[in-house]
Amino acid sequence: MMRISELSERSGVAIATIKYYLREGLLHQGEQVAATRAAYDDSHLRRLRLIRALLEVGRLPVAAIKQVIEAVEDESLPVHRMLGTAHHALGPAVEPEPGDDWEAAGAQVDRLIGEQGWTITPEAPTRDELAQTIVRLRQLGLPTDLTRYAEAARRLAEAEMDAIPFDGPRESAVEAVVLGTVLYGRALDTLRRLAHESESARRLAGAGEDSPGERP
Amino acid sequence: MMRISELSERSGVAIATIKYYLREGLLHQGEQVAATRAAYDDSHLRRLRLIRALLEVGRLPVAAIKQVIEAVEDESLPVHRMLGTAHHALGPAVEPEPGDDWEAAGAQVDRLIGEQGWTITPEAPTRDELAQTIVRLRQLGLPTDLTRYAEAARRLAEAEMDAIPFDGPRESAVEAVVLGTVLYGRALDTLRRLAHESESARRLAGAGEDSPGERP
DNA sequence: ATGCACTGGATAGCGCTATTATCCAATGAT
DNA sequence: ATCATTGGATAATAGCGCTATCCAGTGCAT
């Protein structure tokens, strides 16, 4: 049990910001102890860490975080619906760019999902997200065969899901899924860029030029 | 050869926005035909597509795109330096969060890079990016073993690099590297979320509840 | 019980980014 | 000759994530 100032110190989040999160419904209210005093506990601290991770590492907009949290807190939602809602909040919303390109990309997304044997809601915004990327790849003349990526994604996702406590309290499950999706997603992205850097250094930095990483 | 209005129509980017990109140095000036008339060509159209892809798909801030483009246009830069600069602009800048956690995470990043046999500049901001993610994983009690991800990243990055035309014009090489990094990165991320959705549906949607994707 | 730091609550303002709008004088097509 | 368009400059806008200010009520130390 603590007051707002202690919550602020322990979390590293400014008081004004905490108030803002309270207003926005990202952070649940503390226990009203008196008219002008409320008490916060570890659940608030944990929630703040969740928010900051989604915000700073996942770069989710506050509105998306709110959706995730609402899904968590809506007890009437069956778990897999809750996960769906949370999941759909994680991707940036893209609006369709109508045209032949878009149609073709959509078909390709369907085909890819079919090939992998995935089960995906027809309304999943994630489909449009992928379609948009494919459209851009096409426009720029880059190869659009994503099978290799889909397979890597599948392998990683399966391993991650094995670690999710689906039998525990519902809050743990969403948190684990959402945090896993976002944080490991970012880790993967960063690692891929590191691998790129290393590969291009290896292939180019011969020929007498100094190579990054080893200064004379 | 076209005027600004045609460039706008063909690219789908508003005239005012094109002027803005010209001001910001993202888009090179058109050929001055008369005091109040300039001519644009396919290179401008292509550049606009690059900008929009980095902006909308890659979600890079305009300032980062500018850095990328400056690297491309600085002819005096050796190719691998140019790629390094461009690459470092792709990641969001993170500032270190000093403390023991940070130190430990840094050490873990070094170890991971070593294990994979990668060659990475000591100053690469990408290192800090990864360190930050590891710190957050720790704070939230999630496993921090990223070996599996590093290996997947390495495999994908190697395959991508095989497709880069390092022997062609330098502009092609950066464009390919940057676009590849960003667009396939996003594709991978989206696919991983799709795989997650599918996996959690598969594991949870039994038990009489209707499963996403098949409505009665 | 008194003075003072702290609280919740409400509202307003800020700093940044990406974009859009407005004006202008010059100009080229009809 | 005229009228829409252009380049160029400057201002205005919208959204977001905070941050600051003000307020009256309250707990705590003295």
mmCIF file of all heavy atoms in Angstrom, chain B residues 39-86:
data_model
loop_
_atom_site.group_PDB
_atom_site.id
_atom_site.type_symbol
_atom_site.label_atom_id
_atom_site.label_comp_id
_atom_site.label_asym_id
_atom_site.label_seq_id
_atom_site.Cartn_x
_atom_site.Cartn_y
_atom_site.Cartn_z
ATOM 1 N N ALA B 39 10.566 20.706 -63.623
ATOM 2 C CA ALA B 39 10.119 19.432 -64.183
ATOM 3 C C ALA B 39 10.595 18.277 -63.320
ATOM 4 O O ALA B 39 11.750 18.251 -62.884
ATOM 5 C CB ALA B 39 10.660 19.285 -65.602
ATOM 6 N N TYR B 40 9.699 17.334 -63.067
ATOM 7 C CA TYR B 40 10.017 16.164 -62.249
ATOM 8 C C TYR B 40 9.974 14.922 -63.136
ATOM 9 O O TYR B 40 9.303 14.904 -64.172
ATOM 10 C CB TYR B 40 9.017 16.056 -61.108
ATOM 11 C CG TYR B 40 8.971 17.306 -60.266
ATOM 12 C CD1 TYR B 40 8.089 18.345 -60.573
ATOM 13 C CD2 TYR B 40 9.830 17.463 -59.192
ATOM 14 C CE1 TYR B 40 8.070 19.505 -59.821
ATOM 15 C CE2 TYR B 40 9.815 18.619 -58.433
ATOM 16 C CZ TYR B 40 8.934 19.640 -58.748
ATOM 17 O OH TYR B 40 8.923 20.786 -58.003
ATOM 18 N N ASP B 41 10.695 13.911 -62.727
ATOM 19 C CA ASP B 41 10.717 12.700 -63.542
ATOM 20 C C ASP B 41 10.494 11.447 -62.693
ATOM 21 O O ASP B 41 10.102 11.537 -61.534
ATOM 22 C CB ASP B 41 12.036 12.603 -64.317
ATOM 23 C CG ASP B 41 13.234 12.622 -63.381
ATOM 24 O OD1 ASP B 41 13.065 12.198 -62.213
ATOM 25 O OD2 ASP B 41 14.319 13.067 -63.792
ATOM 26 N N ASP B 42 10.788 10.317 -63.293
ATOM 27 C CA ASP B 42 10.521 9.057 -62.605
ATOM 28 C C ASP B 42 11.316 8.900 -61.314
ATOM 29 O O ASP B 42 10.881 8.231 -60.383
ATOM 30 C CB ASP B 42 10.852 7.873 -63.535
ATOM 31 C CG ASP B 42 9.759 7.687 -64.570
ATOM 32 O OD1 ASP B 42 8.628 8.148 -64.319
ATOM 33 O OD2 ASP B 42 10.038 7.090 -65.625
ATOM 34 N N SER B 43 12.491 9.537 -61.283
ATOM 35 C CA SER B 43 13.294 9.404 -60.066
ATOM 36 C C SER B 43 12.544 10.021 -58.881
ATOM 37 O O SER B 43 12.665 9.555 -57.748
ATOM 38 C CB SER B 43 14.659 10.069 -60.239
ATOM 39 O OG SER B 43 14.535 11.479 -60.198
ATOM 40 N N HIS B 44 11.774 11.072 -59.165
ATOM 41 C CA HIS B 44 11.004 11.693 -58.087
ATOM 42 C C HIS B 44 9.853 10.793 -57.655
ATOM 43 O O HIS B 44 9.537 10.687 -56.467
ATOM 44 C CB HIS B 44 10.476 13.053 -58.542
ATOM 45 C CG HIS B 44 11.540 14.049 -58.805
ATOM 46 N ND1 HIS B 44 12.154 14.182 -60.041
ATOM 47 C CD2 HIS B 44 12.161 14.946 -57.992
ATOM 48 C CE1 HIS B 44 13.074 15.136 -59.968
ATOM 49 N NE2 HIS B 44 13.108 15.608 -58.749
ATOM 50 N N LEU B 45 9.255 10.166 -58.633
ATOM 51 C CA LEU B 45 8.152 9.266 -58.324
ATOM 52 C C LEU B 45 8.656 8.119 -57.457
ATOM 53 O O LEU B 45 8.058 7.752 -56.451
ATOM 54 C CB LEU B 45 7.570 8.725 -59.646
ATOM 55 C CG LEU B 45 6.170 8.122 -59.601
ATOM 56 C CD1 LEU B 45 5.195 9.055 -58.920
ATOM 57 C CD2 LEU B 45 5.709 7.812 -61.020
ATOM 58 N N ARG B 46 9.801 7.592 -57.855
ATOM 59 C CA ARG B 46 10.400 6.490 -57.118
ATOM 60 C C ARG B 46 10.778 6.913 -55.704
ATOM 61 O O ARG B 46 10.539 6.203 -54.737
ATOM 62 C CB ARG B 46 11.635 6.009 -57.884
ATOM 63 C CG ARG B 46 12.335 4.856 -57.244
ATOM 64 C CD ARG B 46 13.400 4.231 -58.131
ATOM 65 N NE ARG B 46 14.035 3.138 -57.447
ATOM 66 C CZ ARG B 46 13.487 1.936 -57.291
ATOM 67 N NH1 ARG B 46 12.301 1.684 -57.814
ATOM 68 N NH2 ARG B 46 14.097 0.982 -56.625
ATOM 69 N N ARG B 47 11.345 8.085 -55.610
ATOM 70 C CA ARG B 47 11.735 8.599 -54.309
ATOM 71 C C ARG B 47 10.522 8.777 -53.403
ATOM 72 O O ARG B 47 10.555 8.458 -52.224
ATOM 73 C CB ARG B 47 12.467 9.934 -54.487
ATOM 74 C CG ARG B 47 12.837 10.658 -53.214
ATOM 75 C CD ARG B 47 13.804 9.886 -52.343
ATOM 76 N NE ARG B 47 15.094 9.680 -52.929
ATOM 77 C CZ ARG B 47 16.086 10.579 -52.912
ATOM 78 N NH1 ARG B 47 15.916 11.747 -52.344
ATOM 79 N NH2 ARG B 47 17.245 10.300 -53.471
ATOM 80 N N LEU B 48 9.445 9.270 -53.997
ATOM 81 C CA LEU B 48 8.234 9.443 -53.202
ATOM 82 C C LEU B 48 7.731 8.109 -52.687
ATOM 83 O O LEU B 48 7.277 7.987 -51.548
ATOM 84 C CB LEU B 48 7.136 10.114 -54.036
ATOM 85 C CG LEU B 48 7.147 11.634 -54.051
ATOM 86 C CD1 LEU B 48 6.008 12.168 -54.904
ATOM 87 C CD2 LEU B 48 7.025 12.174 -52.628
ATOM 88 N N ARG B 49 7.822 7.094 -53.521
ATOM 89 C CA ARG B 49 7.382 5.777 -53.065
ATOM 90 C C ARG B 49 8.264 5.269 -51.941
ATOM 91 O O ARG B 49 7.795 4.660 -50.988
ATOM 92 C CB ARG B 49 7.370 4.791 -54.232
ATOM 93 C CG ARG B 49 6.092 4.911 -55.058
ATOM 94 C CD ARG B 49 5.803 3.646 -55.824
ATOM 95 N NE ARG B 49 6.505 3.623 -57.100
ATOM 96 C CZ ARG B 49 5.923 3.879 -58.273
ATOM 97 N NH1 ARG B 49 4.636 4.185 -58.325
ATOM 98 N NH2 ARG B 49 6.606 3.817 -59.383
ATOM 99 N N LEU B 50 9.552 5.551 -52.064
ATOM 100 C CA LEU B 50 10.474 5.193 -50.980
ATOM 101 C C LEU B 50 10.072 5.892 -49.688
ATOM 102 O O LEU B 50 9.927 5.272 -48.639
ATOM 103 C CB LEU B 50 11.906 5.586 -51.368
ATOM 104 C CG LEU B 50 12.975 5.461 -50.269
ATOM 105 C CD1 LEU B 50 13.254 4.013 -49.939
ATOM 106 C CD2 LEU B 50 14.282 6.149 -50.683
ATOM 107 N N ILE B 51 9.859 7.187 -49.789
ATOM 108 C CA ILE B 51 9.490 7.966 -48.603
ATOM 109 C C ILE B 51 8.220 7.434 -47.960
ATOM 110 O O ILE B 51 8.151 7.204 -46.759
ATOM 111 C CB ILE B 51 9.300 9.458 -48.969
ATOM 112 C CG1 ILE B 51 10.629 10.066 -49.415
ATOM 113 C CG2 ILE B 51 8.708 10.230 -47.803
ATOM 114 C CD1 ILE B 51 10.498 11.448 -50.021
ATOM 115 N N ARG B 52 7.214 7.229 -48.799
ATOM 116 C CA ARG B 52 5.939 6.773 -48.248
ATOM 117 C C ARG B 52 6.046 5.393 -47.637
ATOM 118 O O ARG B 52 5.394 5.091 -46.627
ATOM 119 C CB ARG B 52 4.842 6.788 -49.315
ATOM 120 C CG ARG B 52 4.555 8.160 -49.907
ATOM 121 C CD ARG B 52 4.272 9.213 -48.897
ATOM 122 N NE ARG B 52 2.973 9.092 -48.257
ATOM 123 C CZ ARG B 52 2.448 10.007 -47.454
ATOM 124 N NH1 ARG B 52 3.119 11.117 -47.196
ATOM 125 N NH2 ARG B 52 1.287 9.828 -46.902
ATOM 126 N N ALA B 53 6.841 4.533 -48.235
ATOM 127 C CA ALA B 53 7.006 3.189 -47.680
ATOM 128 C C ALA B 53 7.681 3.269 -46.315
ATOM 129 O O ALA B 53 7.244 2.633 -45.352
ATOM 130 C CB ALA B 53 7.811 2.312 -48.629
ATOM 131 N N LEU B 54 8.733 4.068 -46.222
ATOM 132 C CA LEU B 54 9.426 4.190 -44.947
ATOM 133 C C LEU B 54 8.534 4.846 -43.902
ATOM 134 O O LEU B 54 8.555 4.494 -42.728
ATOM 135 C CB LEU B 54 10.717 5.000 -45.111
ATOM 136 C CG LEU B 54 11.793 4.358 -45.991
ATOM 137 C CD1 LEU B 54 13.029 5.229 -46.042
ATOM 138 C CD2 LEU B 54 12.132 2.967 -45.496
ATOM 139 N N LEU B 55 7.710 5.764 -44.366
ATOM 140 C CA LEU B 55 6.848 6.518 -43.461
ATOM 141 C C LEU B 55 5.665 5.679 -42.992
ATOM 142 O O LEU B 55 5.415 5.534 -41.798
ATOM 143 C CB LEU B 55 6.350 7.751 -44.205
ATOM 144 C CG LEU B 55 5.953 8.983 -43.417
ATOM 145 C CD1 LEU B 55 7.061 9.426 -42.506
ATOM 146 C CD2 LEU B 55 5.600 10.089 -44.396
ATOM 147 N N GLU B 56 4.940 5.103 -43.944
ATOM 148 C CA GLU B 56 3.681 4.442 -43.597
ATOM 149 C C GLU B 56 3.869 2.997 -43.179
ATOM 150 O O GLU B 56 3.182 2.511 -42.283
ATOM 151 C CB GLU B 56 2.712 4.519 -44.781
ATOM 152 C CG GLU B 56 2.254 5.944 -45.056
ATOM 153 C CD GLU B 56 1.470 6.076 -46.351
ATOM 154 O OE1 GLU B 56 1.175 5.046 -46.979
ATOM 155 O OE2 GLU B 56 1.176 7.220 -46.745
ATOM 156 N N VAL B 57 4.763 2.317 -43.836
ATOM 157 C CA VAL B 57 4.969 0.921 -43.476
ATOM 158 C C VAL B 57 6.022 0.816 -42.378
ATOM 159 O O VAL B 57 5.828 0.147 -41.377
ATOM 160 C CB VAL B 57 5.376 0.085 -44.701
ATOM 161 C CG1 VAL B 57 5.505 -1.376 -44.321
ATOM 162 C CG2 VAL B 57 4.351 0.255 -45.807
ATOM 163 N N GLY B 58 7.121 1.534 -42.571
ATOM 164 C CA GLY B 58 8.200 1.447 -41.606
ATOM 165 C C GLY B 58 7.999 2.348 -40.400
ATOM 166 O O GLY B 58 8.661 2.201 -39.399
ATOM 167 N N ARG B 59 7.067 3.301 -40.519
ATOM 168 C CA ARG B 59 6.783 4.239 -39.435
ATOM 169 C C ARG B 59 8.028 4.985 -38.982
ATOM 170 O O ARG B 59 8.192 5.271 -37.796
ATOM 171 C CB ARG B 59 6.129 3.530 -38.258
ATOM 172 C CG ARG B 59 4.900 2.734 -38.680
ATOM 173 C CD ARG B 59 3.825 2.628 -37.649
ATOM 174 N NE ARG B 59 2.516 3.028 -38.193
ATOM 175 C CZ ARG B 59 1.881 2.390 -39.167
ATOM 176 N NH1 ARG B 59 2.412 1.359 -39.760
ATOM 177 N NH2 ARG B 59 0.706 2.798 -39.588
ATOM 178 N N LEU B 60 8.907 5.282 -39.905
ATOM 179 C CA LEU B 60 10.067 6.087 -39.562
ATOM 180 C C LEU B 60 9.673 7.549 -39.512
ATOM 181 O O LEU B 60 8.898 8.014 -40.345
ATOM 182 C CB LEU B 60 11.165 5.929 -40.618
ATOM 183 C CG LEU B 60 11.833 4.578 -40.806
ATOM 184 C CD1 LEU B 60 13.124 4.757 -41.594
ATOM 185 C CD2 LEU B 60 12.132 3.933 -39.483
ATOM 186 N N PRO B 61 10.205 8.295 -38.564
ATOM 187 C CA PRO B 61 9.989 9.741 -38.555
ATOM 188 C C PRO B 61 10.696 10.387 -39.743
ATOM 189 O O PRO B 61 11.708 9.876 -40.236
ATOM 190 C CB PRO B 61 10.605 10.194 -37.246
ATOM 191 C CG PRO B 61 11.425 9.071 -36.757
ATOM 192 C CD PRO B 61 10.921 7.825 -37.389
ATOM 193 N N VAL B 62 10.158 11.505 -40.184
ATOM 194 C CA VAL B 62 10.716 12.208 -41.329
ATOM 195 C C VAL B 62 12.204 12.492 -41.147
ATOM 196 O O VAL B 62 12.988 12.367 -42.092
ATOM 197 C CB VAL B 62 9.930 13.514 -41.568
ATOM 198 C CG1 VAL B 62 10.680 14.431 -42.496
ATOM 199 C CG2 VAL B 62 8.561 13.186 -42.142
ATOM 200 N N ALA B 63 12.593 12.827 -39.950
ATOM 201 C CA ALA B 63 14.003 13.144 -39.696
ATOM 202 C C ALA B 63 14.891 11.936 -39.982
ATOM 203 O O ALA B 63 16.002 12.084 -40.508
ATOM 204 C CB ALA B 63 14.186 13.607 -38.254
ATOM 205 N N ALA B 64 14.424 10.740 -39.650
ATOM 206 C CA ALA B 64 15.212 9.530 -39.891
ATOM 207 C C ALA B 64 15.296 9.257 -41.385
ATOM 208 O O ALA B 64 16.349 8.882 -41.903
ATOM 209 C CB ALA B 64 14.578 8.344 -39.173
ATOM 210 N N ILE B 65 14.204 9.473 -42.077
ATOM 211 C CA ILE B 65 14.203 9.279 -43.526
ATOM 212 C C ILE B 65 15.208 10.221 -44.165
ATOM 213 O O ILE B 65 15.924 9.863 -45.095
ATOM 214 C CB ILE B 65 12.793 9.502 -44.087
ATOM 215 C CG1 ILE B 65 11.819 8.500 -43.484
ATOM 216 C CG2 ILE B 65 12.795 9.395 -45.608
ATOM 217 C CD1 ILE B 65 10.387 8.651 -43.939
ATOM 218 N N LYS B 66 15.256 11.419 -43.625
ATOM 219 C CA LYS B 66 16.208 12.387 -44.156
ATOM 220 C C LYS B 66 17.644 11.886 -43.997
ATOM 221 O O LYS B 66 18.453 11.994 -44.916
ATOM 222 C CB LYS B 66 16.044 13.724 -43.439
ATOM 223 C CG LYS B 66 16.892 14.807 -44.067
ATOM 224 C CD LYS B 66 16.661 16.156 -43.423
ATOM 225 C CE LYS B 66 17.523 17.206 -44.115
ATOM 226 N NZ LYS B 66 17.391 18.513 -43.474
ATOM 227 N N GLN B 67 17.941 11.323 -42.862
ATOM 228 C CA GLN B 67 19.288 10.785 -42.647
ATOM 229 C C GLN B 67 19.604 9.702 -43.658
ATOM 230 O O GLN B 67 20.694 9.656 -44.225
ATOM 231 C CB GLN B 67 19.408 10.196 -41.240
ATOM 232 C CG GLN B 67 19.463 11.250 -40.155
ATOM 233 C CD GLN B 67 19.606 10.617 -38.779
ATOM 234 O OE1 GLN B 67 19.628 9.395 -38.650
ATOM 235 N NE2 GLN B 67 19.692 11.446 -37.758
ATOM 236 N N VAL B 68 18.650 8.832 -43.863
ATOM 237 C CA VAL B 68 18.845 7.765 -44.841
ATOM 238 C C VAL B 68 19.170 8.362 -46.198
ATOM 239 O O VAL B 68 20.135 7.979 -46.868
ATOM 240 C CB VAL B 68 17.584 6.875 -44.950
ATOM 241 C CG1 VAL B 68 17.714 5.923 -46.121
ATOM 242 C CG2 VAL B 68 17.362 6.111 -43.661
ATOM 243 N N ILE B 69 18.385 9.339 -46.583
ATOM 244 C CA ILE B 69 18.545 9.921 -47.916
ATOM 245 C C ILE B 69 19.850 10.692 -48.040
ATOM 246 O O ILE B 69 20.504 10.672 -49.083
ATOM 247 C CB ILE B 69 17.317 10.794 -48.247
ATOM 248 C CG1 ILE B 69 16.159 9.857 -48.610
ATOM 249 C CG2 ILE B 69 17.608 11.756 -49.376
ATOM 250 C CD1 ILE B 69 14.826 10.517 -48.719
ATOM 251 N N GLU B 70 20.228 11.343 -46.963
ATOM 252 C CA GLU B 70 21.517 12.040 -46.986
ATOM 253 C C GLU B 70 22.661 11.053 -47.161
ATOM 254 O O GLU B 70 23.626 11.329 -47.873
ATOM 255 C CB GLU B 70 21.705 12.859 -45.710
ATOM 256 C CG GLU B 70 21.006 14.207 -45.787
ATOM 257 C CD GLU B 70 21.031 14.938 -44.449
ATOM 258 O OE1 GLU B 70 21.470 14.340 -43.451
ATOM 259 O OE2 GLU B 70 20.580 16.097 -44.412
ATOM 260 N N ALA B 71 22.539 9.921 -46.502
ATOM 261 C CA ALA B 71 23.577 8.899 -46.652
ATOM 262 C C ALA B 71 23.633 8.438 -48.105
ATOM 263 O O ALA B 71 24.705 8.255 -48.677
ATOM 264 C CB ALA B 71 23.299 7.723 -45.720
ATOM 265 N N VAL B 72 22.475 8.262 -48.702
ATOM 266 C CA VAL B 72 22.432 7.818 -50.096
ATOM 267 C C VAL B 72 23.114 8.830 -51.007
ATOM 268 O O VAL B 72 23.863 8.470 -51.916
ATOM 269 C CB VAL B 72 20.971 7.644 -50.573
ATOM 270 C CG1 VAL B 72 20.953 7.320 -52.054
ATOM 271 C CG2 VAL B 72 20.271 6.552 -49.786
ATOM 272 N N GLU B 73 22.865 10.094 -50.722
ATOM 273 C CA GLU B 73 23.309 11.116 -51.662
ATOM 274 C C GLU B 73 24.739 11.600 -51.439
ATOM 275 O O GLU B 73 25.281 12.320 -52.270
ATOM 276 C CB GLU B 73 22.335 12.303 -51.620
ATOM 277 C CG GLU B 73 21.011 11.934 -52.288
ATOM 278 C CD GLU B 73 20.003 13.070 -52.242
ATOM 279 O OE1 GLU B 73 20.200 14.014 -51.449
ATOM 280 O OE2 GLU B 73 19.018 12.997 -52.992
ATOM 281 N N ASP B 74 25.322 11.204 -50.317
ATOM 282 C CA ASP B 74 26.696 11.617 -50.074
ATOM 283 C C ASP B 74 27.660 10.670 -50.782
ATOM 284 O O ASP B 74 28.029 9.617 -50.280
ATOM 285 C CB ASP B 74 26.956 11.608 -48.561
ATOM 286 C CG ASP B 74 28.382 12.043 -48.234
ATOM 287 O OD1 ASP B 74 29.173 12.252 -49.176
ATOM 288 O OD2 ASP B 74 28.704 12.178 -47.049
ATOM 289 N N GLU B 75 28.079 11.108 -51.953
ATOM 290 C CA GLU B 75 28.884 10.246 -52.834
ATOM 291 C C GLU B 75 30.247 9.919 -52.232
ATOM 292 O O GLU B 75 30.904 8.966 -52.634
ATOM 293 C CB GLU B 75 29.108 10.936 -54.192
ATOM 294 C CG GLU B 75 27.845 11.357 -54.912
ATOM 295 C CD GLU B 75 27.171 10.173 -55.596
ATOM 296 O OE1 GLU B 75 27.818 9.114 -55.739
ATOM 297 O OE2 GLU B 75 25.989 10.304 -55.981
ATOM 298 N N SER B 76 30.690 10.738 -51.278
ATOM 299 C CA SER B 76 32.046 10.552 -50.761
ATOM 300 C C SER B 76 32.106 9.418 -49.728
ATOM 301 O O SER B 76 33.190 9.003 -49.325
ATOM 302 C CB SER B 76 32.519 11.851 -50.109
ATOM 303 O OG SER B 76 31.882 12.030 -48.869
ATOM 304 N N LEU B 77 30.953 8.964 -49.313
ATOM 305 C CA LEU B 77 30.913 7.936 -48.270
ATOM 306 C C LEU B 77 31.147 6.556 -48.887
ATOM 307 O O LEU B 77 30.496 6.194 -49.858
ATOM 308 C CB LEU B 77 29.519 7.982 -47.632
ATOM 309 C CG LEU B 77 29.358 7.923 -46.122
ATOM 310 C CD1 LEU B 77 30.264 8.914 -45.422
ATOM 311 C CD2 LEU B 77 27.900 8.192 -45.780
ATOM 312 N N PRO B 78 32.089 5.773 -48.305
ATOM 313 C CA PRO B 78 32.248 4.411 -48.809
ATOM 314 C C PRO B 78 30.937 3.636 -48.573
ATOM 315 O O PRO B 78 30.223 3.906 -47.603
ATOM 316 C CB PRO B 78 33.365 3.816 -47.951
ATOM 317 C CG PRO B 78 33.790 4.850 -46.995
ATOM 318 C CD PRO B 78 33.000 6.089 -47.212
ATOM 319 N N VAL B 79 30.679 2.710 -49.439
ATOM 320 C CA VAL B 79 29.379 2.029 -49.410
ATOM 321 C C VAL B 79 29.035 1.449 -48.042
ATOM 322 O O VAL B 79 27.921 1.604 -47.561
ATOM 323 C CB VAL B 79 29.315 0.922 -50.476
ATOM 324 C CG1 VAL B 79 27.962 0.222 -50.423
ATOM 325 C CG2 VAL B 79 29.522 1.519 -51.856
ATOM 326 N N HIS B 80 29.981 0.793 -47.412
ATOM 327 C CA HIS B 80 29.594 0.151 -46.154
ATOM 328 C C HIS B 80 29.350 1.159 -45.044
ATOM 329 O O HIS B 80 28.580 0.913 -44.129
ATOM 330 C CB HIS B 80 30.623 -0.902 -45.727
ATOM 331 C CG HIS B 80 31.858 -0.333 -45.135
ATOM 332 N ND1 HIS B 80 32.872 0.172 -45.909
ATOM 333 C CD2 HIS B 80 32.260 -0.179 -43.862
ATOM 334 C CE1 HIS B 80 33.838 0.608 -45.122
ATOM 335 N NE2 HIS B 80 33.494 0.413 -43.878
ATOM 336 N N ARG B 81 29.999 2.343 -45.161
ATOM 337 C CA ARG B 81 29.707 3.404 -44.202
ATOM 338 C C ARG B 81 28.289 3.942 -44.428
ATOM 339 O O ARG B 81 27.550 4.203 -43.498
ATOM 340 C CB ARG B 81 30.694 4.555 -44.382
ATOM 341 C CG ARG B 81 32.049 4.301 -43.774
ATOM 342 C CD ARG B 81 32.187 5.029 -42.424
ATOM 343 N NE ARG B 81 33.441 4.683 -41.784
ATOM 344 C CZ ARG B 81 33.623 3.582 -41.077
ATOM 345 N NH1 ARG B 81 32.616 2.720 -40.919
ATOM 346 N NH2 ARG B 81 34.783 3.322 -40.520
ATOM 347 N N MET B 82 27.998 4.110 -45.700
ATOM 348 C CA MET B 82 26.674 4.599 -46.056
ATOM 349 C C MET B 82 25.599 3.649 -45.525
ATOM 350 O O MET B 82 24.607 4.074 -44.933
ATOM 351 C CB MET B 82 26.582 4.692 -47.578
ATOM 352 C CG MET B 82 25.186 4.855 -48.113
ATOM 353 S SD MET B 82 25.192 4.890 -49.932
ATOM 354 C CE MET B 82 25.380 3.170 -50.347
ATOM 355 N N LEU B 83 25.844 2.373 -45.683
ATOM 356 C CA LEU B 83 24.873 1.412 -45.184
ATOM 357 C C LEU B 83 24.775 1.467 -43.666
ATOM 358 O O LEU B 83 23.680 1.373 -43.104
ATOM 359 C CB LEU B 83 25.259 -0.001 -45.628
ATOM 360 C CG LEU B 83 25.076 -0.277 -47.114
ATOM 361 C CD1 LEU B 83 25.490 -1.698 -47.438
ATOM 362 C CD2 LEU B 83 23.631 -0.053 -47.523
ATOM 363 N N GLY B 84 25.913 1.645 -43.025
ATOM 364 C CA GLY B 84 25.896 1.749 -41.578
ATOM 365 C C GLY B 84 25.047 2.930 -41.127
ATOM 366 O O GLY B 84 24.169 2.793 -40.282
ATOM 367 N N THR B 85 25.310 4.086 -41.721
ATOM 368 C CA THR B 85 24.538 5.277 -41.380
ATOM 369 C C THR B 85 23.050 5.048 -41.598
ATOM 370 O O THR B 85 22.223 5.312 -40.725
ATOM 371 C CB THR B 85 24.980 6.466 -42.258
ATOM 372 O OG1 THR B 85 26.392 6.607 -42.135
ATOM 373 C CG2 THR B 85 24.292 7.734 -41.827
ATOM 374 N N ALA B 86 22.744 4.554 -42.775
ATOM 375 C CA ALA B 86 21.341 4.311 -43.098
ATOM 376 C C ALA B 86 20.733 3.348 -42.085
ATOM 377 O O ALA B 86 19.642 3.577 -41.554
ATOM 378 C CB ALA B 86 21.219 3.724 -44.496
#
